[in-house]
């Protein structure tokens, strides 16, 4: 992986928590992670255009190399091609007020993608999150990205971004994030100075409350981002349990409908 020089961005802009950034800009009315609206998998020209003109705050895309060794594109495995490159997408987001999350599906895509961030003519004004599943998690069948290689690349090349770190998982209820999993993640993150959000699967959280509470207690730089697969089985009650057990300013929710709208209604937040 080629080294990338440190990116020059306004101090604190990319690493600012979305609750603080969008509260400061007047886009949300309370310091509440549930008020931050997400657009998931904007992995095509049509989806990117929809995200750019929508009222969401954060836009997530999946990044890999075209054909495994080409330019960075937006696609989720098993797809290996796309009608939009990361370079085109970044240019589009640069003219918007959105924050972004790049979810890297291969380690090889990280270096070239960070180079594209550096080359942006118009710097992104909102939060920038760099995501990778770096540890095996509950029932995870996919190989995680090499943790030390991923962290080394993003911390040296993009010190102003927020790190979004997760575990490989399957969507089965029951077995959650176990103590060895969160302890290993804590050890990896302890030396870091950047903000870290832990990507955690909604269906697994009810079985993981003590472990994730402990993880967040290790640093004020930590938060959770709750996500879900389209076929995952979980309830609004599960989401309310999360909200009852964590600081609402430190938990974000990137989830699908209808759970998203039902959850927002239950807690009195407009979608």
């Amino acid at each position: 992986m080629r080294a990338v020089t440190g990116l020059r961005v306004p101090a604190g802009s990319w690493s600012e928590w979305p609750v603080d950034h969008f509260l400061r800009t007047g886009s949300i009315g309370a310091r509440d992670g549930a008020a931050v609206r997400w657009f998931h998998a904007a992995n095509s020209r049509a989806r990117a255009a929809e995200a750019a003109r929508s009222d969401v705050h954060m836009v997530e895309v999946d990044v890999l190399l075209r054909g495994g060794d080409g330019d960075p594109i937006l696609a989720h495995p098993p797809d290996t091609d796309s009608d939009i490159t990361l370079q085109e997408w970044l240019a589009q987001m640069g003219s918007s007020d959105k924050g972004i999350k790049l979810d890297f599906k291969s380690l090889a895509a990280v270096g070239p993608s960070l180079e594209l961030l550096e080359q942006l003519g118009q710097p992104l004004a909102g939060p920038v999150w760099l995501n990778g599943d770096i540890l095996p998690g509950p029932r995870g069948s996919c190989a995680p990205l090499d943790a030390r290689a991923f962290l080394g690349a993003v911390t040296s090349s993009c010190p102003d971004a927020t790190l979004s770190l997760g575990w490989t998982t399957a969507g089965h209820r029951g077995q959650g994030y176990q103590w060895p999993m969160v302890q290993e993640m804590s050890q990896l993150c302890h030396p870091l100075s950047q903000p870290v959000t832990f990507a955690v699967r909604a269906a697994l959280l009810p079985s993981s409350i003590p472990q994730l509470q402990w993880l967040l207690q290790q640093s004020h730089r930590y938060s959770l981002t709750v996500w879900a697969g389209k076929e995952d089985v979980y309830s609004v009650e599960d989401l309310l349990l999360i909200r009852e057990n964590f600081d609402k300013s430190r938990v974000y929710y990137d989830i699908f409908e209808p759970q998203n709208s039902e959850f927002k209604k239950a807690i009195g937040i407009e979608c």
Side-chain angles (χ1 to χ4, degrees):
M1 183 179 299
R2 285 185 289 172
V4 187
T5 57
L7 307 186
R8 295 179 178 86
V9 298
S13 61
W14 287 10
S15 61
E16 191 174 21
W17 285 124
V19 287
D20 295 319
H21 176 81
F22 293 111
L23 183 63
R24 179 171 56 80
T25 60
S27 299
I28 59 176
R31 196 168 185 270
D32 186 341
V36 176
R37 295 185 295 273
W38 287 78
F39 194 102
H40 191 81
N43 293 338
S44 67
R45 291 184 183 277
R47 294 275 292 170
E50 182 182 353
R53 64 175 178 263
S54 73
D55 63 355
V56 301
H57 303 106
M58 297 289 294
V59 182
E60 186 263 2
V61 289
D62 302 295
V63 185
L64 46 75
L65 298 183
R66 173 170 279 140
D69 57 4
D71 294 330
I73 59 168
L74 307 182
H76 192 289
D79 293 339
T80 60
D81 205 350
S82 173
D83 68 351
I84 187 169
T85 65
L86 176 61
Q87 184 173 24
E88 293 167 335
W89 186 83
L90 287 173
Q92 187 170 18
M93 289 301 114
S95 61
S96 76
D97 58 355
K98 316 297 185 191
I100 68 167
K101 176 180 176 180
L102 305 183
D103 185 354
F104 292 104
K105 297 306 182 183
S106 74
L107 190 62
V110 176
S113 299
L114 296 182
E115 290 184 3
L116 292 175
L117 276 173
E118 183 183 24
Q119 294 164 6
L120 275 179
Q122 181 176 1
L124 298 162
V128 172
W129 287 15
L130 305 176
N131 183 84
D133 290 339
I134 61 171
L135 289 176
R139 302 176 185 263
S141 57
C142 298
L145 302 183
D146 182 276
R148 298 196 183 281
F150 179 79
L151 292 175
V154 296
T155 56
S156 63
S157 302
C158 202
D160 293 299
T162 293
L163 303 177
S164 174
L165 305 176
W167 298 257
T168 60
T169 61
H172 303 287
R173 290 173 65 95
Q175 180 185 0
Y177 298 94
Q178 300 177 359
W179 283 109
M181 298 173 185
V182 297
Q183 289 165 347
E184 185 176 6
M185 184 67 82
S186 177
Q187 291 171 358
L188 286 170
C189 295
H190 178 72
L192 305 176
S193 59
Q194 294 166 248
V196 179
T197 190
F198 299 108
V200 289
R201 200 163 189 158
L204 304 177
L205 258 69
S207 302
S208 316
I209 299 294
Q211 291 87 344
L212 295 173
Q213 285 177 327
W214 174 86
L215 186 57
L216 288 196
Q217 289 167 3
Q218 303 312 300
S219 176
H220 67 278
R221 296 181 293 107
Y222 297 166
S223 71
L224 299 179
T225 300
V226 181
W227 66 276
K230 285 187 176 181
E231 307 303 323
D232 286 7
V233 177
Y234 64 100
S235 66
V236 173
E237 287 70 26
D238 292 336
L239 300 176
L240 294 175
L241 181 66
I242 298 166
R243 190 166 175 85
E244 291 166 4
N245 282 280
F246 295 93
D247 180 345
K248 66 182 181 180
S249 71
R250 298 178 71 183
V251 184
Y252 301 92
Y253 301 85
D254 178 11
I255 54 178
F256 290 102
E257 299 295 347
Q259 290 94 336
N260 180 57
S261 295
E262 293 171 355
F263 172 59
K264 298 290 181 66
K265 182 178 179 181
I267 62 177
I269 291 180
E270 293 184 6
C271 293

